Amino acid sequence: SGYASCDVELSPTMYDTGSNARGSIIAYRAARQDAEDGGYDLHAMVGAARSDASKPMATLAGIDGIPQVSYWSTSDAFDQQKSTYPYFARTIPADSAVAKAAAQLFASYGHNYVGIAFVQDAYGEAYKDAFVTYATELGIEVSTQGFAGGSEVAVKAAIDNFALERLQVGIAIIFGNDFDRFFEYATEKGLCGPGTLWILSEATGNGEVLAKTGDLQVASNGMGRLLSQGGVPGNPKYDAFAADWQNFDSQASLVSYIESNFFSYTADAGSSHPEGTDLSQLASDFFATVSPDDVATYAYDAAITVGMAA
């Protein structure tokens, strides 16, 4: 409703980047080839989600002159290297804004020695750099430990180094596929539990934290998430978005469209979804029963941005 007079219609086709650089190149090339074979133009792209996937895509799109609007790529590199990513835009704030708030939070608690564990990709590296900069300005010493996403050996090595330092307070830039292995081992090494504090970024979803049991539940009790919030209940525009999400009258046809137009190009085991993304069983009442998360609002804004620029 409210868009009946709009003369712009987007016809999206979805591709899975696998949340990694190689997968994003495969997905981008497939999108370009499908457009050529189908006799239509690729006018713009929404995504990718992770910065590590958006960077090579944004480089290629910049060469080809195709606008790209991401809803979740927060690396500061996109702002610092605009000539490399001339057609890249995003609807979510950069890492530096949230990293500054994280440093201020630790300072307000009186902590002067903090660790940061981060996945070694474009997102994690940029977040770490920004956090160290702001923490140092506030007189906080920072221990940094990076690890390769999906590697149990690398995760354990990072935690072993923190344990040697008797670290009690830290921030973890970690995705869901590494959450359990990281905090199970951190608990085993005495880095979680009473007297400890871990702050998580938007990379870790609420569901991945709140659903834990046993030792992981104990660890989760000493955690908090600090992130850019795309929508807050009580905001009139967000409330209208949430209502439309659950009540619009073409849910079944939209689910059918997603199932028919989503193409998975997952590239390797380092992906956050190495087995691929299967939407063949997406429930017909998905939108009525699943509430939009903080990513959905940014994705909605990215699609609207493309439409407004058309």
Side-chain angles (χ1 to χ4, degrees), residues 41 45 68 95 135 145 187 263 284:
D41 293 325
M45 296 180 300
Q68 174 185 353
D95 294 321
Q145 296 294 333
T187 300
F263 301 99
S284 60

Side-chain angles (χ1 to χ4, degrees), residues 41-65:
D41 293 325
L42 179 62
H43 292 117
M45 296 180 300
V46 172
R50 288 179 60 173
S51 299
D52 204 37
S54 279
K55 289 182 76 173
M57 183 181 291
T59 301
L60 295 173
I63 294 171
D64 295 337

Side-chain angles (χ1 to χ4, degrees), residues 12 14 245 248 250-261 282 287:
M14 291 153 282
W245 171 285
F248 71 95
S250 55
Q251 293 187 31
S253 60
L254 179 57
V255 168
S256 177
Y257 183 89
I258 292 173
E259 292 174 347
S260 302
N261 291 277
L282 196 63
F287 290 94

Side-chain angles (χ1 to χ4, degrees), residues 223-244:
M223 294 179 190
R225 290 180 73 220
L226 188 64
L227 69 157
S228 302
Q229 187 63 49
V232 179
N235 179 297
K237 292 185 177 180
Y238 174 77
D239 290 344
F241 166 77
D244 284 347

Side-chain angles (χ1 to χ4, degrees), residues 50 52 117-125 145-149 154 173:
R50 288 179 60 173
D52 204 37
F118 61 97
V119 61
Q120 290 173 313
D121 67 2
Y123 166 67
E125 294 280 359
Q145 296 294 333
F147 58 89
I173 312 305

